[in-house]
Amino acid sequence: MSATRLRPLAEPVISGVLLILAITWVGTDGYRQDLAVLTVTYGLIGLGLYSHFIMGDSLSIAYNAYAAIGGYALGLVATRTGWPLLVSLPLGIVAAVLISVLLGLATRRLNGFYLAAVTLLFSEAFQAWLIDADGVTGGAEGVILTRSISVFGAELGRDQIVVIALVLMWLIALLLSRLRRSPFGVALRAKAQASVAVEAAGVPVTALTLISLSIGAAIGSLAGAVFTTANLSILPESIPVSVAFLAVFIPFLGGRSSPWGVVIGALLVTELTFNLNFFQGSGTLLFAVAVVAVLIFAPEGLIGLARDLTGRLVGAVNRGGRDER
């Protein structure tokens, strides 16, 4: 089999091997499981932002709301109904997508700072509503799950939930990587550079934006579901607005050229902020320093830096071989 035919298999195979290593490293250790859950939560919110922000160049700071919707959907199904908890996943996705579409339609004429400001206002208002709506959300006390997810009658323990969460992040990153190279992804990235040309080519820009928003909101809701499932509770401050701000910089840290940069960035953020009170104190400072250093010395993120160093190494080896001849 030629190298050209093998190339499409390289990404899933290499990432799959790394996934297996990550699952093996996490194992049954509670501390490592906490690290994994936090990484997946950041990673899924960052991947949700990827299609709309990185590919579509349209910044919406409402992903903490989408994550909260997924988390509260799980909590409310667990405490208010006798339905299987897996039903909450499509419910959360549908609710998050509907809200994202409505928000997208309301802000379709905005961009840049104005879009970010309006969606930030929505995020703040949504979090305030979570606290005020005692009868629905439990108010400041949130929702505590009274039962865990079961599959075919067998309840999933935390070990299995963490493995499923890691596999979910891997699968979504892989699908987004394929989406980026698809005709839809090419059109979405072209819209970011020349929306008038895309519209002139017969591709509706508004539809592209709403679809990318829907994809991001769906992924964001899964982040909240993972967090709630692993911690058996969800509070208004569990996924604050600061998480959405943090997610904006995660792709810059790992690399914007691929969704895998989001995964790398989420892992680094977890290492810098874990055990700190939601990005306060030195964790935030370390993260800010890391982002500034990467933006200055590696504008394409760590993936771009690794690609550049690899290219230089290969070039040096090739030049050395020619010199010997």
Side-chain angles (χ1 to χ4, degrees), residues 298 301-312:
L302 297 182
I303 287 181
L305 179 62
R307 186 184 297 118
D308 184 51
L309 292 176
T310 302
R312 292 184 181 182

Side-chain angles (χ1 to χ4, degrees), residues 1-24:
M1 187 178 292
S2 66
T4 303
R5 292 183 178 180
L6 287 174
R7 192 174 296 121
L9 298 176
E11 182 181 20
V13 169
I14 294 174
S15 61
V17 170
L18 293 175
L19 171 66
I20 293 172
L21 292 175
I23 292 173
T24 303

Side-chain angles (χ1 to χ4, degrees), residues 23-33 158-160 162-163:
I23 292 173
T24 303
W25 178 81
V26 171
T28 59
D29 183 88
Y31 177 78
R32 292 180 178 180
Q33 288 179 350
R158 200 166 196 262
D159 297 350
Q160 293 78 33
V162 170
V163 171

